[in-house]
Amino acid sequence: MKLTIAALGRMKSGPERDLVDTYAERGTATGRAIGLGPVSEQEIDNRALATSAEESRALAASLPDGCKLILLDERGKALASRDFARKLETWRDDGVREAVFAIGGADGHDRSQLPQPDLVMAFGPAVWPHKLVRVMLAEQIYRAVSILAGTPYHRD
């Protein structure tokens, strides 16, 4: 099952970019043997988009048919790493071809412009900068893949 981080805007080079790339590479390498990956990123150009509705429409237009849609939102459900891993495992075992993790723009998602999400997920109730959300999401995807692969990366 392909795992895609879809984010509005372009992340320029720097430490955050390096971390996202590192975790995506690790997730891809670890997940290959267990049917997860590649872990990739899709950046949606939002320079000409003025509202969250326009951003959400652009995001919706980029979604592949039949994907599982996971919205990142501070009002979403905070999942423990093992619970997140089990969710990915279930989708993979059910034959889902792709899961797309959508990070909205500065004003969040306009839910009226998006298909019904399969999961609304949060990294706690705090609001995080978009660059850090990408890093944390890439790391949690790698962690979930590592849990399912049985590697020693995650410790309970």
Side-chain angles (χ1 to χ4, degrees), residues 31-120:
R32 190 173 291 123
I34 60 169
L36 289 172
V39 179
S40 63
E41 185 179 22
Q42 176 185 12
E43 294 182 318
I44 299 164
D45 186 0
N46 65 343
R47 289 176 291 182
L49 306 175
T51 66
S52 62
E54 290 173 343
E55 291 174 335
S56 293
R57 277 194 296 274
L59 178 62
S62 75
L63 296 173
D65 291 337
C67 74
K68 291 291 184 182
L69 175 60
I70 302 92
L71 297 182
L72 277 286
D73 187 297
E74 73 267 15
R75 293 172 299 276
K77 183 175 183 175
L79 296 174
S81 295
R82 286 201 179 273
D83 294 333
F84 179 55
R86 278 191 287 275
K87 180 69 75 177
L88 296 182
E89 179 180 43
T90 298
W91 287 338
R92 178 203 62 195
D93 293 351
D94 287 345
V96 173
R97 296 186 56 140
E98 185 169 356
V100 177
F101 299 85
I103 301 170
D107 294 319
H109 298 289
D110 183 336
R111 299 276 294 274
S112 70
Q113 302 300 314
L114 292 165
Q116 180 67 32
D118 297 282
L119 176 65
V120 181

